[in-house]
């Protein structure tokens, strides 16, 4: 805080730098019209749940324009509450007419507000904490922090984009004489065209206008009835117009009487709930076009004047009104109008990359757009007037200068005119028109096209920047979701699957993940995914036949041509072989090969997976034949690959640690159990948690001299390497000392000294040790020492339960121990139950099973075998509480069976 400033009393509010004054002229209401709230527990999965809650709420309110920003901000604020502060978080969404306010409350009222206006540094965006308020300052219209003695509330507000509700266009009030003329009964034909171009709906007005009843025309292509005014030398027609998202214009419909009825049409592309597209067409007589035609907007400041004295906007003159409100629609309209203006056969528009070194194909007409879309060509392809996109150029005959316009190679176009799109002197794109004949264009056509390009350059750049902003916000939301998913698992196979599923189909058509075990290992194809599941096997087989990409640590995507080349060769070989086969032998073999070739025939890129300064694998992304990646998608894939590499390496480290832990844990338990004549012995061991730490509980049963058996069950304090050392020491020392003939007290006293000799690594140990000697009369004699361990319980045949030993000091605490052994005789049908404290300390809330609860369970085990007793006790313990056990549990039961009766 700067000198002289006063701290905020209960909160702080931070307006965005671009926010309007409260007294500005707003036409929409700020009254709260809806409210949604939810409380999330302090667990990691609550962050994803909070994002889903906010996304569903805002989409349900129709606030799709601000969903991405709201989800990102909510994610950061809820993370601060449930992960960093460790408290529950309440999320409240408040809707008003002009925006939404979202509040996140937690129970960690720390007063630390990074006020930009006070000059306090916001901190590095790379550090772990503080990013939530930074994002609020960057994205929110207004935001603030409010405190109470027990809560902290962080809120932010996002305003909807300014637009007149319910109004797209409007015209002034005019006198009746100036209104357009229409028949007394205006008829609007409503026709619906399915995805195949056939008529699927035909209303009564359509029948009246054109004379066809619905049953006669439904199911037939509209192109059979449309009289389309073709531009000479082009193939553009009604079928292309029906595939556009929106279209307005004039054409004719051949009526039942043979005459052509001129109509004005408005087309809208829609899809049904199953995702099937269709086009709705509204048609009126051409002289009644005012019914459907969108009114012209008012003249702009730079408008030109027509001969009749009325002003018109040059942009609208070229593009038409209304102008498309999306970038792709604007670009497509531009190339179509440019082609028609110069009477060309094809047109194309390319946008410049950020560094202006390349141009990306974004719209074409009369060219194979699906093949060329997002392809890139260099800005400067040579020297001279025809070698750069920064200046207008006219090519009278491309056959004389092959390769001068790479986009037109192999298209049959011979003459072309290209002009740059510039904003404030900076190259933003290139617009071109081509014709199949030579010598079609001169400098006059170049000037006309340049004039049109100058009119639309600013609108195109504005739409492009808007698209980039939407992509940026969508990418940020995508990476937040991806990071959350990758952080939610430590399983290697699941991590590989998540990597592929997040890229397909969002970023690529297919994906492959190569992994590298160590620096001496070759890359291994670990996972393959295609958006069409039926193509995965063929893709995997193709990639398996070629050498993997070279593991290069250099960041960024690089082109890998090997898959496309191999697919092309495989398709060629299959086609050649098919020429020698009988027709009935041409089956799925060549079809599968050609399908796979088409799947990987486009652009393929490789991104390194680098974690902890080592290349641990490669992420391969591919497109189908002749398709290309957008630069924005490659940058997003690079961000994803960095996060995925760290997640994959973490899963590898976790798997290695878990394997070592489980191997060491197995070494601390006996590999097998000897059979004791005349005595049933059963052991159940349950380790707590996932990927358990070594140490904890242990048990053993082994032979000692004179026909006796030593048994032990113990529990070392803690887990980890230190506990494992004491566990190993105890188990092996017990066997060695017992087989040397030492009595039970002597064995434990020497073990106690050995534990104390470990010094700082020593851990105290509870241990039940005993010697079991089967007797000739069928009973069993036991000598036991219970050193700080839960007492063994004896179940008699009459159902009574009693402790079979007395408590004595535990091991690893005191130097001098005076231990003694107690003798227990198990008669026919008696059971001795030995457990670790994970059994007796099983909890459900404030209740604990305890010794008394265990004794009650054991009372119901009369007449059961040793295995059945152990299983019933374990079931009772697991059912005592709903949560998973938090401690290891071990059960050792010994029973003298009843003599069999003849």
């Amino acid at each position: 805080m700067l000198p002289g400033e006063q701290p905020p009393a209960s909160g702080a509010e931070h307006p965005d730098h671009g926010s309007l004054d409260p007294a500005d002229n707003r036409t929409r209401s700020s009254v709260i019209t809806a409210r949604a709230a939810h409380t999330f527990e302090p667990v990691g999965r609550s962050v994803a749940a909070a994002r889903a809650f906010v996304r569903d709420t805002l989409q349900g309110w129709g606030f799709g324009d601000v969903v991405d920003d709201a989800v990102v901000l909510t994610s950061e604020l809820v993370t601060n509450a449930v992960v960093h502060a460790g408290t529950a978080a309440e999320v409240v969404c408040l809707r008003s007419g002009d925006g939404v306010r979202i509040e996140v409350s937690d129970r960690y009222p720390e007063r630390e507000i990074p006020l930009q206006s006070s000059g306090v540094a916001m901190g590095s965006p790379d550090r772990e904490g503080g990013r939530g308020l930074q994002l609020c300052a960057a994205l929110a219209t207004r935001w603030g922090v409010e405190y109470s003695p027990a809560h902290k509330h962080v809120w932010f507000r996002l305003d909807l984009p300014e637009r007149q509700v319910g109004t797209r266009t409007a015209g002034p009030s005019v006198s009746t004489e100036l209104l357009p003329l229409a028949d007394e009964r205006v008829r609007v034909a409503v026709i619906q065209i399915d995805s195949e171009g056939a008529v699927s709906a035909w209303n009564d007005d359509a029948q009246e206008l054109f004379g066809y009843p619905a049953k006669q025309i439904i199911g037939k292509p509209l192109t059979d009835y449309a009289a389309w005014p073709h531009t000479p030398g082009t193939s553009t027609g009604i079928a292309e117009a029906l595939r556009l998202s929106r279209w307005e214009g004039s054409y004719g419909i051949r009526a039942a009487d043979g005459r052509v009825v001129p109509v004005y049409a408005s087309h809208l592309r829609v899809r049904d709930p199953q995702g099937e597209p269709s086009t709705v067409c509204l048609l009126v007589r051409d002289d009644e076009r005012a019914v459907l035609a969108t009114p012209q907007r008012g003249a702009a400041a730079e408008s030109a004047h027509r001969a009749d004295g009325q002003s018109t906007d040059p942009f609208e003159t070229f593009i038409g009104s209304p102008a498309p409100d999306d970038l792709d629609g604007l670009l497509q309209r531009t190339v179509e109008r440019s082609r028609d203006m110069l009477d060309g056969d094809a047109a194309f528009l390319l946008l410049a990359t950020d560094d202006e070194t390349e141009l990306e194909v974004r719209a074409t007409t009369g060219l194979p757009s699906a093949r060329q879309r997002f392809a890139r060509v260099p800005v400067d392809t040579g020297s001279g007037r025809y070698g750069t996109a920064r200046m207008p150029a006219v090519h009278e005959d491309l056959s004389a200068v092959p390769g001068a316009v790479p986009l037109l190679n192999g298209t049959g176009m011979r003459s072309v005119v290209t002009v740059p799109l510039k904003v404030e002197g900076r190259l933003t794109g290139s617009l071109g028109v081509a014709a199949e004949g030579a010598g079609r264009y001169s400098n006059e056509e170049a000037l006309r096209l340049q004039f049109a390009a100058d009119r639309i350059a600013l609108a195109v750049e504005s739409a492009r920047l808007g698209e980039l902003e939407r992509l940026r916000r969508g990418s940020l939301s995508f990476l937040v979701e991806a990071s959350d998913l990758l952080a939610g698992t430590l399983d290697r196979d699941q991590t590989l699957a998540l990597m592929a599923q997040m890229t397909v189909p969002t970023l690529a058509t297919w994906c492959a993940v190569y992994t590298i075990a160590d620096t001496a290992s070759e890359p291994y194809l670990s996972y393959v995914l295609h958006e069409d599941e039926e193509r995965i096997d063929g893709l995997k087989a193709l990639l398996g036949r070629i050498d993997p990409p070279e593991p290069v640590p250099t960041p960024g995507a690089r082109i890998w041509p090997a898959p496309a080349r191999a697919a092309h060769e495989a398709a060629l070989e299959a086609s050649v072989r098919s020429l020698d086969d009988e027709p009935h032998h041409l089956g799925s073999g060549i079809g599968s090969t050609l399908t796979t070739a088409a799947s990987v025939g486009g652009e393929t890129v490789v991104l390194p997976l680098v974690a902890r300064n080592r290349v641990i694998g490669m992420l391969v992304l591919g497109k189908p034949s002749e398709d290309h990646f957008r630069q924005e998608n490659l940058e997003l894939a690079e961000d994803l690959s960095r996060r995925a590499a760290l997640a994959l390496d973490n899963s590898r480290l976790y798997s290695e640690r878990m394997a070592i832990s489980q191997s060491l844990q197995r070494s601390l338990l006996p590999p097998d159990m000897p059979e004791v004549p005349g005595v049933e012995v059963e052991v159940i061991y349950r380790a707590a948690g996932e990927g358990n730490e070594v140490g904890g509980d242990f048990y053993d049963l082994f032979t000692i001299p004179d026909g006796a058996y030593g048994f032990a069950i113990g529990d070392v304090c803690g887990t980890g390497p230190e506990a494992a050392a004491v566990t190993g020491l105890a188990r092996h020392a017990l066997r060695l000392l017992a087989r040397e003939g030492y009595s039970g007290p002597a064995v434990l006293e020497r073990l106690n000294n050995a534990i104390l000799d470990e010094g700082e690594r020593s851990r105290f140990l509870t241990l039940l040790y005993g010697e079991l000697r089967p007797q000739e009369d069928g009973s069993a004699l036991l000598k036991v020492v219970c050193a700080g361990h839960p007492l063994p319980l004896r179940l008699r045949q009459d159902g009574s339960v009693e402790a079979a030993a007395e408590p004595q000091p535990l091991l690893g605490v005191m130097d001098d121990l005076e231990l003694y052994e107690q003798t227990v005789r198990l008669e026919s049908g008696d059971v001795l139950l030995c457990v670790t404290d994970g059994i007796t300390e099983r909890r459900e809330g404030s209740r604990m099973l305890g010794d008394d609860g265990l004794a009650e369970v054991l009372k119901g085990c009369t007449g059961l075998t040793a295995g059945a007793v152990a299983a019933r006790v374990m079931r009772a313990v697991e059912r005592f509480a709903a949560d998973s056990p938090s401690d290891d549990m071990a059960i050792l039961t010994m029973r003298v069976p009843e003599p069999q009766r003849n």
Side-chain angles (χ1 to χ4, degrees), residues 725-750:
V726 175
T727 300
L729 173 65
R731 195 170 75 83
H732 294 294
L734 286 175
R735 288 193 171 209
L736 178 63
L737 294 171
R739 286 170 176 170
E740 289 294 324
Y742 289 99
S743 65
V747 168
L748 268 59
E749 288 168 3
R750 286 164 173 75

Side-chain angles (χ1 to χ4, degrees), residues 507-718:
L507 303 178
T509 304
W510 63 269
C511 165
V513 183
Y514 289 85
T515 56
I516 304 174
D518 52 59
T519 54
S521 301
E522 292 294 325
Y524 175 75
L525 183 60
S526 298
Y527 201 91
V528 175
L529 183 66
H530 194 286
E531 65 179 1
D532 184 353
E533 294 182 355
E534 295 181 354
R535 303 187 182 185
I536 294 177
D537 292 338
L539 178 59
K540 187 182 299 183
L542 175 69
L543 295 176
R545 291 195 298 268
I546 62 177
D547 293 333
E550 183 181 356
V552 177
T554 306
R558 70 181 192 274
I559 301 295
W560 186 33
R565 186 166 52 244
H568 176 74
E569 293 173 355
L572 184 60
E573 292 175 0
S575 299
V576 171
R577 287 197 306 269
S578 68
L579 296 177
D580 301 327
D581 292 339
E582 295 295 332
H584 62 274
H585 290 155
L586 298 179
S588 60
I590 183 174
S592 176
T593 302
L594 295 178
T595 299
T596 302
S599 299
V600 300
E603 193 171 67
T604 302
V605 297
V606 180
L607 296 105
L609 298 174
V610 181
R612 299 176 175 90
N613 298 320
R614 186 175 74 86
V615 180
I616 64 170
M618 289 155 290
L619 179 65
V620 179
L621 305 179
K623 288 283 191 176
S625 292
E626 303 301 332
D627 207 351
H628 300 266
F629 285 97
R630 297 190 61 178
Q631 184 62 28
E632 295 82 2
N633 285 349
L634 291 180
E635 292 171 357
L636 182 57
E638 187 177 355
D639 283 340
L640 177 64
S641 69
R642 287 195 291 267
R643 289 164 169 79
L646 187 59
L648 184 61
D649 200 45
N650 287 341
S651 68
R652 176 188 62 83
L653 294 174
Y654 177 78
S655 299
E656 291 177 356
R657 178 183 176 185
M658 186 167 62
I660 293 171
S661 174
Q662 292 174 344
S663 178
L664 182 54
Q665 185 72 63
R666 287 192 297 268
S667 72
L668 299 176
L669 300 175
D672 49 30
M673 302 282 286
E675 293 187 5
V676 180
V679 179
E680 298 174 356
V681 180
E682 182 66 26
V683 173
I684 295 180
Y685 181 82
R686 293 282 190 274
E690 178 184 359
N692 317 288
E693 294 280 356
V694 296
D697 298 358
F698 70 96
Y699 63 90
D700 203 357
L701 179 65
F702 52 91
T703 59
I704 56 178
D706 301 330
Y709 296 83
F711 66 91
I713 184 169
D715 187 1
V716 178
C717 172

Side-chain angles (χ1 to χ4, degrees), residues 800-824:
S800 60
V801 175
E802 61 185 6
E806 297 176 353
Q808 300 184 56
L810 50 78
L811 308 181
V813 178
M814 297 181 292
D815 290 328
D816 297 325
L817 289 181
E818 295 183 1
L819 303 174
Y820 58 92
E821 63 184 8
Q822 296 174 272
T823 302
V824 180

Side-chain angles (χ1 to χ4, degrees), residues 175-196:
S175 62
T176 305
E177 293 77 12
L178 297 179
L179 293 176
L181 182 65
D183 287 349
E184 181 177 353
R185 167 72 165 86
V186 175
R187 298 187 181 276
V188 180
V190 181
I191 307 172
Q192 191 159 3
I193 312 300
D194 63 20
S195 58
E196 302 299 327

